[in-house]
Amino acid sequence: MCAETTHLAADPAGIKAAAAILAEGGLVAFPTETVYGLGADARNNLAVARIFEAKGRPRFNPLIVHVADVAAARLLVEWSDTADRLAQAFWPGPLTLVLPLKSNTGLSPLVTAELPTLAVRMPAHLVARDLLSEFGGPLAAPSANPSGRISPTAAAHVATGLSGRIEAILDGGTCDVGVESTILGLWSQPILLRPGGLPTGVIEAALGAPLAHRESNEPLSAPGQMASHYAPGAHVRLNVTEPRADELYLGFGPMTCTLNLSQAGDLTEAAANLFAHLHRLDDMATGGIAVAPIPETGLGLAINDRLCRAAAPRF
C-alpha cells in the first residue's frame, strides 16, 4: 500500500517523474489508446508482484509487456515473418502479439505466469510512447483497475479503484479506443485469443487468411480470458429490448435509454463509450443494468466479449 497516490500531468516533467518512479520499482498508471495500464518495470520481480497485489489479480493470469518499438520486442520473443507483417501493418496500435519467449530476457517470470510465451504490444498513445522512451525499458501493464472490475478509460476511473495502492497516475485524458487490445497467438497458425480494439476482419484482410479461434475450455494463454471480467458491481443482463423497472438501460442506436453507447449505431463510438458508461451506470444503479443488443460485427465482437464477461457469474 502507498500512503498517497500522486497525480501527474502528461507533460515532460510529469513523464520524467513517472519514469523515475518506475525505475525505482514503483507502479504508475498511464494512458494508452485502449485503456489505462498499470505499469511496472517488467524486469523487476518485486515491482511486477506489486501489480498483482494492487489489482488483486490471480498470479496465473499473464501480463502484456509494452515496448517502445519492434526492436525492443525482438529482444524478448522469437520474432516471425507473420509478426513482422502484422507489426508493420498495425503497430503502434491496439494489437497484442503472443510469441514464444526468448531465454535470458531478464523479465520477471511473474509476467508470463510461467508460460513459454509472452504477450507484447507497442501502444499508439503519445503519452505512453513518451513514457516508454523516457523509461528506456519494457513495462508490464495490465489494465489499471481492481481485477475483474470495469476497465478504466480516464484517470478518475483509475483513482477510484487504485488510489492508495499505487505510486502515481499519469493523466493523459480519455482513451480514444476504449476497449483493450486485440490479442493474437502466433506460435503456430495465427489464433484470436481476445477480440479487441483492432477488428478481426481488418487483421484477416492483412493476412489474407481467416484467424483460428481459441476454444473456451482451453487453458489461459493470454490476459483478458477470465470468464468473469470487466464487471460492474451491479448485475448485468444482455440483449435486452424491454428493461425491468429496477434496471438502468444501456442502449445502442436510436432508442429511449439511461445512457446510449451510440445513438447513431456507430460501433467505434460505442467501443469508446463502453467502459465509461458502465462506470456511470454502476455509480447510479440501485438495481441491475440491462444492455440492448449489439451487432456481432467489427468492433461489436470486442464489445460483446466484454459485456459477456461483465454479465458472467461471479466467483
Side-chain angles (χ1 to χ4, degrees):
M1 298 291 286
C2 304
E4 185 178 352
T5 297
T6 301
H7 289 249
L8 300 170
D11 56 20
I15 289 167
K16 190 176 185 66
I21 291 168
L22 291 165
E24 293 169 0
L27 304 184
V28 176
F30 64 94
T32 77
E33 69 278 17
T34 57
V35 300
Y36 272 72
L38 180 56
D41 184 346
R43 303 158 299 191
N44 183 325
N45 205 51
L46 180 57
V48 175
R50 288 193 56 224
I51 288 179
F52 288 90
E53 179 184 26
K55 285 176 59 71
R57 183 184 178 95
R59 293 289 179 94
F60 57 76
N61 197 359
L63 305 176
I64 294 174
V65 168
H66 292 64
V67 295
D69 49 38
V70 170
R74 284 176 173 270
L75 295 174
L76 304 175
V77 294
E78 299 292 347
W79 202 247
S80 66
D81 290 342
T82 302
D84 209 49
R85 192 167 166 190
L86 290 166
Q88 286 187 40
F90 302 118
W91 277 11
L95 176 66
T96 294
L97 303 178
V98 182
L99 292 136
L101 178 68
K102 279 187 171 180
S103 58
N104 302 316
T105 61
L107 294 180
S108 166
L110 294 172
V111 168
T112 60
E114 304 290 348
L115 294 170
T117 54
L118 176 69
V120 290
R121 179 163 100 84
M122 179 183 173
H125 198 292
L126 292 179
V127 174
R129 295 182 69 183
D130 287 346
L131 179 62
L132 283 161
S133 177
E134 180 70 31
F135 176 65
L139 290 178
S143 56
N145 58 299
S147 186
R149 301 306 298 272
I150 308 169
S151 296
T153 55
H157 300 156
V158 180
T160 297
L162 295 180
S163 278
R165 301 186 191 184
I166 65 177
E167 276 71 19
I169 301 169
L170 186 59
D171 188 346
T174 303
C175 302
D176 292 334
V177 175
V179 292
E180 292 84 355
S181 61
T182 302
I183 302 182
L184 297 185
L186 296 183
W187 47 83
S188 56
Q189 176 187 359
I191 181 170
L192 180 66
L193 302 178
R194 180 183 73 182
L198 183 65
T200 54
V202 175
I203 299 169
E204 289 174 335
L207 291 174
L211 295 168
H213 288 255
R214 172 183 177 267
E215 297 296 330
S216 59
N217 60 352
E218 290 181 12
L220 289 184
S221 53
Q225 296 179 336
M226 302 282 286
S228 177
H229 208 32
Y230 316 110
H235 176 72
V236 177
R237 284 198 312 135
L238 305 181
N239 299 311
V240 175
T241 54
E242 294 289 339
R244 295 192 290 251
D246 66 337
E247 290 178 319
L248 301 176
Y249 195 30
L250 180 60
F252 178 79
M255 62 173 58
T256 301
C257 53
T258 313
L259 291 176
N260 201 313
L261 290 170
S262 174
Q263 188 76 25
D266 183 296
L267 289 169
T268 299
E269 181 183 19
N273 285 331
L274 177 62
F275 289 136
H277 280 15
L278 284 176
H279 277 286
R280 286 181 63 191
L281 291 174
D282 202 29
D283 289 342
M284 297 162 57
T286 56
I289 298 171
V291 184
I294 310 292
E296 283 277 356
T297 58
L299 283 174
L301 293 174
I303 295 169
N304 281 304
D305 173 81
R306 304 310 188 271
L307 288 170
C308 285
R309 296 177 196 277
R314 318 285 170 83
F315 299 101

